[in-house]
Amino acid sequence: MKHFYTLFLLFTISLSFSQRKYSQSYFSNPMDIPLVVAGTFGELRSNHFHSGIDLKTQQKEGVPILAPANGYIYRIKVAQYGFGKVLYVKHPSGFTTVFAHLQKFAPRIQKYVKDIQYKKKSYYTGNLFPEEEKFPVKKGEIIGYSGDTGSSGGPHLHYEIRDSKTDKIINPLHFGLAVKDTRNPIIEKLMVFPLDTNARVNNSNQKSTIPIKKINEGKYIAERIKANGSIGLGVVTFDRQDEAMNRNGIYSLEMHVNGELVYYHDLETFSFAESKYINLLIDFEHYGKFKKKFQKTHKVSKNKLSLYKNLINDGKLIIEPLASYNVEIIAKDFEGNASKLRIPIKGVSKNELEVKKDTTEYKITAVNFNKFQKENVTIAFPKNSFYHDCYLNFDVNDGIAKIHEPTIPLDKRFTLTFDTSHLNTKEKQQVYIANVTKKKYPKYVSTKKKENKVYTNQKTLGSYTLKLDSISPKINLVNFADQQWITKNKTLKVKIKDEESGIKDFRGSIDNEWVLMEYNHKKGILTYDFSDKKLVGSKHIFKIVVSDNVGNTETISTTFYRKP
């Protein structure tokens, strides 16, 4: 018992210190509106942890973004996906702040970016690194406006704080951001994992969900578990702040066995390099099948996450016959609101079971290069693509290559190759590889071509096939018509769409000169701003050329009139 209280005291001091070691006043709020969180730091996302916090912008774009401290803008990027329009600000304190999914930048930055876009004749800028003295910023200065660009699910600000030297990301809430949260996290489900072939859970060697019920606010209890040998636990849990209904991530997860802390992790900081190990923190197989993320309260081999603290036996429980165990899993949010799940476990004698071996002819030895071929399909996995040895299901039927299911996490990309020697010249131009794991929604994947084959590098197992795209993209005029006077228009808009392989590129021009078309890929809208350039004369020819991912193109040329 003395050992437990010493551990608990050290743990409490450590937790308290971690929340005080960052300045609470150095950074001011990045927006002058009440801060409501739509997504928490370290939240469980697909193949990665959320690297910042998402702040609501009152369901609108154009909220001014303020520099939270003195510094200078050292990096800018405009991209179709990912962060969209993003600014990076370095501060003399040794931190970098990041502002993503912006609608536009402050005027002087906007002009700098547009000049480069016109020089490159491309909407996409790549990474821009202005000289340090180019864009100094003062605390509270407007540096941009909130938006919905990139891979955003609606208007919001994605905000990050990074260590400028290590590039590790730090939870912004540690720096004094005030977010109202008095709610306890919710614990939704419990799973038990037999961790070797000799372990038993309720007379089975298969993982299983255990019913739980809520006793009162913040307290849950599970059905009694009968077990033997090495087992692990996992929970589905989430948090909600006071002013939003979003299912946000928790801050910390811990487990006690008979009063002793045996497992703890929190979301104070992590590096981008380790974010992929989220697939070992969760039950990836269950997520692949049912889209529910069970967070394990035990650390598995190959997991290199730095989130863990004070682990005993990596959080794995050794259940002895006739022994009783009182297990408690505690989920907390950043404010310390907690929910507790009590799990009674009774040790029983091991029953004998016939353990079926999961074998196929496609055995993966993780430390080796693995390559398999069937019909016109070849799959090749680099060394250490898998975290452990396993067997794959691999088959080709009706042109569909089924490479297991997306239930095994990969550390590296594998190469999928289709032989296309049976296609004619035109078909070879039109062919692409599509992910058809979701049969109703075939999805183009980046396809590279050689004379008699096409291939792609992917990090997700599943079903893939060849498809042909012979249909050109569609272009429709939105806010003007051919031969129309549009003097009052501030912008010129067209809608583009491609049903098959998807839009790859576009090029707009007025009077044979390239013009910048801002692309909202979620709505398929291209927008030209007339303030970019003064047009000479009243009659103008607008031309737009759009191409898809296999090279089909569509062109529209139209005339409009506008007073100088």
Side-chain angles (χ1 to χ4, degrees):
M1 186 61 69
K2 183 179 179 181
H3 172 65
F4 163 68
Y5 282 118
T6 302
L7 264 180
F8 182 77
L9 181 62
L10 289 173
F11 165 67
T12 304
I13 293 172
S14 173
L15 180 62
S16 174
F17 176 71
S18 72
Q19 297 202 24
R20 288 188 288 105
K21 67 183 179 184
Y22 303 103
S23 171
Q24 303 295 290
S25 59
Y26 182 79
F27 290 119
S28 60
N29 289 350
M31 295 183 292
D32 191 18
I33 59 174
L35 298 186
V36 180
V37 174
T40 49
F41 179 81
E43 201 165 80
L44 308 181
R45 300 290 174 87
S46 179
N47 296 313
H48 69 284
F49 293 98
H50 188 219
S51 59
I53 57 173
D54 289 340
L55 299 172
K56 289 179 179 285
T57 55
Q58 301 175 336
Q59 299 181 328
K60 63 184 180 181
E61 299 184 45
V63 176
I65 303 302
L66 312 175
N70 293 347
Y72 67 94
I73 293 169
Y74 95 99
R75 181 179 169 192
I76 309 168
K77 188 175 182 179
V78 176
Q80 180 175 334
Y81 298 105
F83 281 169
K85 294 182 179 181
V86 56
L87 285 176
Y88 300 75
V89 180
K90 275 193 176 180
H91 305 279
S93 59
F95 296 108
T96 296
T97 49
V98 183
F99 311 85
H101 307 305
L102 301 180
Q103 178 194 59
K104 59 183 178 180
F105 308 116
R108 61 185 178 131
I109 307 168
Q110 187 80 353
K111 182 181 183 306
Y112 167 80
V113 172
K114 279 198 173 185
D115 285 347
I116 290 174
Q117 288 172 314
Y118 271 92
K119 184 178 180 179
K120 296 177 66 173
K121 295 184 178 180
S122 173
Y123 172 65
Y124 312 111
T125 62
N127 285 308
L128 306 177
F129 295 96
E131 295 178 353
E132 183 174 336
E133 63 273 11
K134 182 76 175 177
F135 296 117
V137 296
K138 294 291 185 181
K139 187 172 187 174
E141 177 184 342
I142 295 176
I143 57 175
Y145 298 86
S146 69
D148 186 26
T149 58
S151 301
S152 166
H156 74 280
L157 172 68
H158 174 93
Y159 177 54
E160 293 182 13
I161 298 179
R162 302 181 184 180
D163 184 307
S164 297
K165 290 183 179 180
T166 66
D167 212 32
K168 290 189 75 171
I169 326 104
I170 304 164
N171 193 329
L173 295 183
H174 277 293
F175 292 84
L177 286 182
V179 177
K180 190 175 181 181
D181 185 0
T182 60
R183 296 181 178 183
N184 295 320
I186 294 170
I187 300 177
E188 197 171 55
K189 292 180 181 293
L190 169 68
M191 184 174 284
V192 187
F193 304 83
L195 297 181
D196 57 48
T197 56
N198 293 318
R200 301 288 185 269
V201 173
N202 293 337
N203 294 323
S204 172
N205 65 341
Q206 301 296 311
K207 64 186 178 185
S208 60
T209 55
I210 304 298
I212 65 174
K213 65 178 181 180
K214 186 175 181 179
I215 301 173
N216 52 45
E217 186 59 35
K219 291 187 178 181
Y220 301 78
I221 188 168
E223 277 190 3
R224 181 181 296 274
I225 299 169
K226 295 179 180 180
N228 181 285
S230 179
I231 68 170
L233 302 176
V235 292
V236 175
T237 179
F238 63 92
D239 188 43
R240 285 194 172 110
Q241 276 72 39
D242 287 10
E243 298 173 354
M245 290 302 294
N246 305 69
R247 289 170 61 110
N248 293 332
I250 60 170
Y251 177 74
S252 68
L253 192 64
E254 61 192 88
M255 182 171 69
H256 302 255
V257 179
N258 295 337
E260 184 175 22
L261 179 68
V262 300
Y263 175 93
Y264 178 81
H265 85 253
D266 66 36
L267 279 307
E268 176 188 345
T269 182
F270 61 88
S271 69
F272 285 103
E274 64 182 301
S275 192
K276 63 183 178 182
Y277 296 112
I278 185 176
N279 292 332
L280 297 179
L281 171 74
I282 67 170
D283 179 5
F284 189 84
E285 180 185 35
H286 190 89
Y287 171 66
K289 291 180 178 178
F290 306 108
K291 300 306 175 187
K292 282 283 187 181
K293 297 186 178 79
F294 278 90
Q295 299 188 55
K296 298 174 183 176
T297 53
H298 59 281
K299 181 181 178 183
V300 301
S301 61
K302 305 291 185 180
N303 188 341
K304 298 180 181 179
L305 285 172
S306 62
L307 312 177
Y308 301 108
K309 301 178 180 69
N310 303 314
L311 299 187
I312 296 179
N313 194 34
D314 284 338
K316 300 171 184 176
L317 311 183
I318 306 299
I319 307 300
E320 300 289 348
L322 304 181
S324 294
Y325 303 84
N326 183 26
V327 179
E328 189 174 59
I329 293 178
I330 304 174
K332 291 182 181 179
D333 60 26
F334 185 82
E335 295 299 324
N337 303 306
S339 285
K340 301 178 180 181
L341 169 62
R342 188 166 69 85
I343 309 158
I345 300 177
K346 178 67 176 178
V348 296
S349 298
K350 182 179 69 174
N351 61 319
E352 294 301 323
L353 293 174
E354 182 181 350
V355 180
K356 294 182 179 180
K357 293 184 178 181
D358 184 16
T359 61
T360 72
E361 59 184 297
Y362 303 103
K363 182 181 179 180
I364 294 291
T365 303
V367 297
N368 295 339
F369 171 77
N370 296 271
K371 183 177 181 179
F372 308 110
Q373 193 273 333
K374 190 165 187 177
E375 295 185 16
N376 68 323
V377 178
T378 303
I379 52 176
F381 299 91
K383 294 178 180 180
N384 298 310
S385 295
F386 293 82
Y387 293 111
H388 55 80
D389 295 352
C390 59
Y391 291 89
L392 291 185
N393 292 311
F394 174 40
D395 203 1
V396 181
N397 284 311
D398 296 326
I400 297 176
K402 185 175 182 180
I403 310 159
H404 208 79
E405 294 179 356
T407 55
I408 301 176
L410 297 179
D411 188 80
K412 299 177 182 178
R413 293 179 178 271
F414 72 98
T415 301
L416 166 64
T417 304
F418 285 84
D419 185 288
T420 57
S421 58
H422 61 288
L423 301 180
N424 61 39
T425 302
K426 188 173 183 180
E427 288 172 332
K428 288 179 181 179
Q429 293 174 346
Q430 298 171 344
V431 75
Y432 67 95
I433 302 174
N435 185 318
V436 290
T437 305
K438 296 180 180 179
K439 295 180 180 179
K440 291 184 179 180
Y441 306 100
K443 181 181 179 182
Y444 169 88
V445 297
S446 180
T447 304
K448 299 176 182 179
K449 299 182 180 182
K450 291 189 176 180
E451 184 177 358
N452 285 314
K453 64 181 179 180
V454 294
Y455 64 98
T456 184
N457 296 309
Q458 296 295 310
K459 206 174 179 182
T460 304
L461 302 178
S463 297
Y464 296 83
T465 193
L466 294 180
K467 283 191 168 290
L468 298 178
D469 181 2
S470 61
I471 303 172
S472 298
K474 295 179 181 179
I475 306 173
N476 293 299
L477 307 181
V478 175
N479 64 340
F480 72 107
D482 188 32
Q483 302 294 328
Q484 184 180 359
W485 280 88
I486 55 172
T487 304
K488 293 183 179 181
N489 283 26
K490 294 182 179 180
T491 61
L492 185 154
K493 296 185 178 184
V494 298
K495 185 169 185 176
I496 62 176
K497 188 177 183 180
D498 188 82
E499 299 284 0
E500 295 289 334
S501 59
I503 302 295
K504 180 181 181 181
D505 201 7
F506 53 87
R507 187 183 191 279
S509 64
I510 295 178
D511 302 334
N512 291 321
E513 289 191 17
W514 185 89
V515 292
L516 175 64
M517 305 293 292
E518 296 267 353
Y519 186 32
N520 183 324
H521 70 271
K522 292 181 280 289
K523 296 180 179 179
I525 299 293
L526 290 171
T527 302
Y528 169 69
D529 191 329
F530 281 113
S531 66
D532 282 2
K533 186 177 181 180
K534 185 174 182 179
L535 301 178
V536 178
S538 58
K539 181 180 179 180
H540 305 283
I541 305 298
F542 170 71
K543 183 179 179 181
I544 181 76
V545 181
V546 182
S547 61
D548 63 23
N549 279 295
V550 301
N552 298 311
T553 63
E554 181 66 18
T555 303
I556 282 185
S557 185
T558 183
T559 300
F560 68 88
Y561 297 88
R562 184 178 177 86
K563 290 182 179 179

